[in-house]
Amino acid sequence: MEAASPPDKIHQWHEDIEELDNYQLGWYHPVNIGDVYSNGRYRIVHKLGFGTYSTVWLARDSRLERYVALKILAAEPSKETTESRIIRHISQCSEKSNPIGKAFISPILDEFEFDGPNGQHRCLVTEPARCSLAESKIEPPWIFRVEVARAIATQTILGLRAIHACNVVHGGKARLLSSYLPYANYLHDLHLNNILFTLRDINHLSVDEIYHHFSTPQLTKVNRLDGGPIGPGVPSHSTSPANFYVYCLEVDDPRICITDFGESWLGDAVHPKGYLNTPMLYRPPEAVFAKDLLSFPGDIWTLACSVFEIMGERRLFEGFFPGEADVVAEMVSCLGPLPLSWWDAWEGRSEFFVDNGVWRSDIGRQSRPLWSRIQTMGRQKHPDSLSPDEAESLAAMLTTMLEYDPAKRATADDVVNSDWMTRWGLPSLKPFNILV
């Protein structure tokens, strides 16, 4: 679902702010600092972020004397969301089947609906968090300390096992990115933009202390380009997000939570929509060649891409605004030839290969296998590089997760029981007092 875009811009553009023209019937609800919701229970304190389908706010819960995050969905998406149902299902299921993995999944604390000038909106109440892993790596050297990287990757793997144990496929959807926003909802899959660092207890802080530690709300008056008055469905001022950013080399508490289940689905059937909106560089090959096979293995492929990125400084598959053919070419470069039926069906192969499967000489591309990519993932430039033994073990685990054939790909249980997890992953949690 896309927001209805007016033929011409209506409001002046504000940097790092949601699209102001989407404050219209069926879309965003206007929010101001100090607004109250749910019969006065939640008072807005600051802004946390935004996406195409929601804005997210820090609020004070007057009933339980704590801070929470309010995710206020746009009106039209509010009619279709199954996110709270999925998360509640995981919470109930995990109580018995996987209480350890449940700790890495952000729970729903409350939810309610309300009417506004742009329609009826659903609001999901969750625990507030810090920035995403991707945003933490936005500045050089774009890499976590190795002990932090291991702990993050391990929690992500355990979290996915809990999700799959509850018969849920995480799935994916691409959305807008806002700089330094932990709730930007940019890339909705098991991806670095929706894995967030948890926030240490801030409930004892006053609102003024919150502003002192994480920045005061910066308000900018909203104006129409034609000079006319703004409508009742538009906020009087835009609000810049709070600064919950933590620099990658300064992460001292690597606890994470997996968020956003807006495109997840129950059961081991194929994707109900028949396609994934997962970003190209993290999309499994069956999303291109065998859409009827989209299921749990697709999450494992994306998890492998994320683990590689967590452990190093760069993505596994690389490209500048890549198209589908570019990403498939990267897969072949990294993992070798496609299955013959997929190779024959690949319409874009002539852009990269001659008929006998040799790289075209005029494109400057060549094979760069997974092992080579691990050796050049950026870790070798730092004093805490991986030992040859760990690098080989990591490569072996990722290889099982990147099988072209979804039926042969590792399961979440297989990954948890891998050599890398046993020798390096799980032991990495103890120094940070992350209990498993």
Side-chain angles (χ1 to χ4, degrees):
M1 177 184 295
E2 300 295 335
S5 298
D8 298 302
K9 294 285 293 181
I10 297 174
H11 301 94
Q12 290 179 353
W13 176 80
H14 292 182
E15 184 177 4
D16 287 341
I17 297 297
E18 63 273 16
E19 175 55 68
L20 294 173
D21 286 355
N22 285 340
Y23 282 99
Q24 57 176 291
L25 190 63
W27 221 250
Y28 290 142
H29 173 71
V31 178
N32 294 294
I33 303 298
D35 287 354
V36 293
Y37 293 89
S38 191
N39 298 315
R41 177 175 179 178
Y42 303 110
R43 181 176 295 275
I44 299 297
V45 171
H46 213 317
K47 188 178 185 179
L48 293 174
F50 65 88
T52 306
Y53 302 125
S54 64
T55 57
V56 186
W57 302 82
L58 182 68
R60 184 69 177 179
D61 179 352
S62 62
R63 184 181 302 173
L64 298 179
E65 294 298 320
R66 63 182 179 181
Y67 289 100
V68 296
L70 299 190
K71 180 177 181 178
I72 302 177
L73 276 66
E76 285 301 317
S78 292
K79 300 175 183 177
E80 301 178 4
T81 183
T82 60
E83 183 171 8
S84 63
R85 179 170 65 89
I86 292 288
I87 296 175
R88 290 184 187 281
H89 168 79
I90 293 172
S91 296
Q92 294 167 2
C93 166
S94 296
E95 288 290 350
K96 296 181 179 179
S97 68
N98 204 319
I100 294 174
K102 177 190 173 185
F104 311 124
I105 299 166
S106 184
I108 297 290
L109 304 177
D110 188 16
E111 64 180 309
F112 56 90
E113 293 183 341
F114 65 90
D115 292 320
N118 293 327
Q120 187 175 71
H121 303 265
R122 179 174 292 275
C123 181
L124 306 182
V125 183
T126 63
E127 296 173 349
R130 298 208 71 164
C131 69
S132 71
L133 305 188
E135 286 144 0
S136 182
K137 293 178 64 176
I138 205 166
E139 296 182 75
W142 310 290
I143 199 166
F144 298 113
R145 290 180 290 118
V146 69
E147 64 272 20
V148 169
R150 291 190 191 111
I152 294 169
T154 300
Q155 293 171 83
T156 305
I157 290 168
L158 292 173
L160 183 64
R161 182 176 69 167
I163 294 167
H164 283 192
C166 293
N167 207 31
V168 171
V169 183
H170 192 272
K173 170 165 279 193
R175 298 185 184 178
L176 300 179
L177 174 66
S178 171
S179 301
Y180 299 100
L181 299 185
Y183 299 90
N185 299 337
Y186 173 42
L187 304 172
H188 283 224
D189 209 316
L190 201 63
H191 174 275
L192 271 64
N193 266 291
N194 69 0
I195 303 171
L196 312 181
F197 288 113
T198 59
L199 187 62
R200 289 176 175 172
D201 183 22
I202 59 172
N203 292 330
H204 63 286
L205 298 177
S206 68
V207 172
D208 286 341
E209 289 171 326
I210 289 287
Y211 294 160
H212 174 74
H213 286 288
F214 302 110
S215 75
T216 302
Q218 300 299 307
L219 307 181
T220 304
K221 183 174 174 56
V222 174
N223 294 305
R224 289 174 58 104
L225 291 170
D226 62 6
I230 61 172
V234 181
S236 60
H237 294 77
S238 67
T239 307
S240 297
N243 181 11
F244 281 79
Y245 172 71
V246 56
Y247 176 48
C248 57
L249 290 182
E250 296 176 354
V251 174
D252 57 6
D253 183 357
R255 288 175 175 82
I256 59 98
C257 60
I258 298 170
T259 66
D260 209 300
F261 292 78
E263 287 247 325
S264 302
W265 71 96
L266 293 172
D268 51 8
V270 298
H271 193 295
K273 295 183 179 179
Y275 63 88
L276 285 180
N277 285 316
T278 305
M280 281 289 181
L281 292 171
Y282 303 84
R283 195 172 296 181
E286 59 267 29
V288 179
F289 299 108
K291 294 181 176 62
D292 59 323
L293 299 180
L294 290 172
S295 190
F296 298 102
D299 278 350
I300 298 296
W301 180 282
T302 304
L303 175 63
C305 296
S306 295
V307 167
F308 183 96
E309 191 172 353
I310 290 166
M311 294 300 298
E313 71 175 10
R314 60 184 66 184
R315 296 185 178 105
L316 174 58
F317 304 122
E318 298 181 285
F320 186 70
F321 292 107
E324 186 177 272
D326 298 293
V327 178
V328 175
E330 269 286 273
M331 293 178 185
V332 175
S333 170
C334 178
L335 305 170
L338 294 169
L340 183 59
S341 61
W342 289 1
W343 175 264
D344 291 340
W346 183 24
E347 296 179 356
R349 73 174 188 271
S350 62
E351 298 178 34
F352 306 93
F353 299 94
V354 295
D355 288 341
N356 62 359
V358 176
W359 289 93
R360 284 176 44 171
S361 60
D362 59 338
I363 62 171
R365 299 277 292 266
Q366 60 183 356
S367 293
R368 193 160 60 90
L370 176 61
W371 176 243
S372 174
R373 294 174 189 237
I374 287 178
Q375 290 178 309
T376 59
M377 70 195 309
R379 184 64 64 186
Q380 73 282 357
K381 296 182 292 186
H382 298 271
D384 58 351
S385 59
L386 303 182
S387 68
D389 195 19
E390 181 179 1
E392 290 178 6
S393 182
L394 178 64
M397 181 183 76
L398 293 177
T399 297
T400 67
M401 301 167 71
L402 294 167
E403 284 279 356
Y404 283 129
D405 185 349
K408 296 179 181 178
R409 206 169 295 157
T411 65
D413 281 334
D414 293 334
V415 179
V416 170
N417 293 320
S418 68
D419 178 71
W420 184 84
M421 280 288 284
T422 300
R423 297 172 63 192
W424 288 278
L426 292 170
S428 73
L429 302 182
K430 187 175 180 180
F432 297 104
N433 294 317
I434 301 173
L435 301 179
V436 295

